[in-house]
Amino acid sequence: MTLNASDDTAETITPYKPRDNTGISFKMWRKFFLNRSPRYWALGVVLLFCRLLALLPHSILLRLGAGFGHLIGWLSPRVRGIACVNIQLCYPELTPREQEALVKASFRELGITFAETFKSWFGNVTKLYWPSATQEGLEHWRAALASERGIILMACHFGSPDLNVALVGSLVRKDRTFVFTYRKPSDSIVDAFICDARGEFGDHLFPVNNLVGITRALKKKGVVWYAPDIEVKNKNSVFAEFKGVQASTTLAISRIARATNALVVPYAHYRNDDDRTYRLRIFPALDNFPSDEPIADTRALNRAIEAIIEPHPERYWWSIKRFKNRPEGEKKVY
C-alpha cells in the first residue's frame, strides 16, 4: 500500500520531512577544493562527476550503473574472487553455471547500488522516491509504534544502504526521533562528507560505537537504523550461522536491545521490475529477542537477513569479505 492522506493514521501521524536534499553543501565542496592536499582535490572532482551523473534520468543512470558494475567484475579479479567464494559457500546447491550467473548479476546490482547512492546523496528523495514508494507489513510497524518501546530498525547491505535510509523517512513515526548509524571512517574530511550527504535523512547520525547516544535515543522511544552484517572480530562478536556458514557477527544489537528493552524490527527496500519505483517491507519484530543465548540471538539476526535477501540474492553485497574471520581451526577462505 502507498502511504497517503487516506491512511487511517495520516491525520495524527506524519512521516519525517527532511529539507530539500539537492546535493552536499557549498561548505563541503570548499573542504575538498580549498584543501592543501591534492588528494582531496581529486576526491572532490570524482564527487563532482557523481553529482553530474545524478542529474541524469533515473533509468539512464541505473543502466550506466549496471554497466559500471560489470566493468568492476571484469577489471578486479580480487573482488570478483571474493564474490565467487561467498556465493559458492552460501549457495552450494547451485550448479557452477548458476553460481557464475549469480556472481555476474551481483556485480550488475553493485553498479546499480552506486547509481542509487548518487541519487540519494544528490537528489531530493522526497520528490524522487517517496510519492511512488509502497509499503508492505505496515501492521508490523504500527504494532512496534504502539508498543511504546524503542525500535531498532535492522537493515543490511542489500542494495544501496543510503537509499534504504532515505526511504525510512517515508514511514509514519508519531513523534519519535529517527537515528541512523554508520561506521565512522578514520579520515575526518571523508567523515564530514558522509555526515553532510546523509545528514538530511533523519534527526541524528551516530557512529556505531556511540553506544551512549544510541542507548539514550532508544530509551526515549526513538528509532535507530542499524545494519549488523559487516564482519567484526572482537570481544563483542560471536560466530553464528549465516546461509549455512559460520560468520563472525556482532553482539551489539542483542546487548543494546537488552539494555533498552527495544524491539528489533527487520526492514528492507526492493526495487520493482520497472526499475523506477521501490517498495519497503517491514518484517515482524524478532520474537523472544534478546534471549539468554548470545549465539541464538545472532543466529536470529542472520536468519532475518537471509529473509531480506531471499527474493533477490543478487542484490546482496557478496563482494565484501563476510567470512574473513574463521572459527579456531578452520582454514581461511579468501
Side-chain angles (χ1 to χ4, degrees):
M1 67 181 288
T2 302
L3 183 65
N4 53 42
S6 65
D7 190 282
D8 58 8
T9 59
E11 293 183 357
T12 57
I13 303 175
T14 57
Y16 172 70
K17 290 290 185 184
R19 298 183 296 276
D20 284 354
N21 181 33
T22 55
I24 62 175
S25 66
F26 180 70
K27 180 180 178 182
M28 193 65 240
W29 288 118
R30 289 181 61 187
K31 285 181 181 288
F32 289 122
F33 291 111
L34 298 184
N35 199 289
R36 293 181 179 180
S37 174
R39 65 173 178 162
Y40 293 115
W41 307 344
L43 181 56
V45 169
V46 171
L47 290 172
L48 185 59
F49 178 67
C50 295
R51 173 70 181 94
L52 295 175
L53 285 177
L55 296 175
L56 293 171
H58 189 262
S59 59
I60 294 176
L61 180 59
L62 260 57
R63 284 199 291 271
L64 288 175
F68 179 63
H70 286 308
L71 194 63
I72 293 174
W74 182 53
L75 294 178
S76 181
R78 184 184 66 85
V79 177
R80 185 179 180 84
I82 293 170
C84 287
V85 169
N86 285 337
I87 287 173
Q88 288 166 6
L89 289 172
C90 294
Y91 294 95
E93 72 279 8
L94 298 181
T95 66
R97 179 174 293 184
E98 290 170 334
Q99 291 175 348
E100 176 60 26
L102 183 52
V103 170
K104 184 177 180 179
S106 74
F107 278 100
R108 174 185 181 274
E109 290 295 333
L110 182 63
I112 289 175
T113 288
F114 290 141
E116 292 173 331
T117 299
F118 299 158
K119 278 289 189 182
S120 301
W121 285 348
F122 301 118
N124 188 331
V125 295
T126 61
K127 294 179 180 178
L128 287 171
Y129 301 122
W130 286 15
S132 59
T134 57
Q135 292 88 20
E136 300 173 359
L138 280 180
E139 67 276 15
H140 306 310
W141 180 244
R142 290 175 178 151
L145 291 175
S147 72
E148 297 298 325
R149 296 162 62 182
I151 300 171
I152 299 174
L153 204 56
M154 193 212 77
C156 64
H157 290 79
F158 175 84
S160 168
D162 291 84
L163 177 56
N164 185 277
V165 165
L167 288 169
V168 169
S170 66
L171 292 172
V172 295
R173 62 164 186 169
K174 291 188 176 178
D175 57 351
R176 293 177 182 245
T177 297
F178 269 24
V179 174
F180 299 102
T181 63
Y182 75 109
R183 296 186 181 276
K184 186 174 183 176
S186 57
D187 189 297
S188 61
I189 301 296
V190 175
D191 181 53
F193 168 75
I194 290 175
C195 292
D196 195 275
R198 298 176 177 175
E200 301 297 332
F201 295 158
D203 299 296
H204 301 288
L205 184 65
F206 289 160
V208 290
N209 59 356
N210 184 357
L211 296 180
V212 173
I214 293 170
T215 299
R216 183 178 297 156
L218 289 170
K219 286 185 175 180
K220 292 182 178 181
K221 303 176 185 177
V223 179
V224 174
W225 182 97
Y226 201 113
D229 59 325
I230 293 295
E231 189 179 64
V232 294
K233 183 182 179 183
N234 54 40
K235 63 182 180 181
N236 293 318
S237 67
V238 296
F239 283 99
E241 188 177 289
F242 172 67
K243 297 294 293 182
V245 185
Q246 292 297 312
S248 180
T249 310
T250 181
L251 288 168
I253 288 185
S254 176
R255 291 177 174 174
I256 292 170
R258 184 179 301 281
T260 61
N261 192 35
L263 291 172
V264 176
V265 179
Y267 156 79
H269 76 286
Y270 299 93
R271 187 178 72 255
N272 293 322
D273 291 340
D274 59 12
D275 280 341
R276 293 184 298 106
T277 59
Y278 295 82
R279 69 185 188 277
L280 286 63
R281 183 177 178 187
I282 301 94
F283 293 78
L286 296 186
D287 190 36
N288 189 32
F289 190 97
S291 68
D292 295 328
E293 296 292 336
I295 294 180
D297 288 346
T298 51
R299 177 67 186 110
L301 294 175
N302 285 343
R303 277 199 302 269
I305 294 173
E306 292 168 3
I308 287 172
I309 70 177
E310 190 273 332
H312 294 281
E314 71 279 5
R315 297 181 186 177
Y316 192 62
W317 287 23
W318 297 111
S319 55
I320 61 175
K321 291 185 176 181
R322 185 66 183 91
F323 308 112
K324 179 180 179 180
N325 299 303
R326 307 309 307 139
E328 187 175 351
E330 282 196 16
K331 294 192 306 182
K332 299 289 185 181
V333 297
Y334 304 117

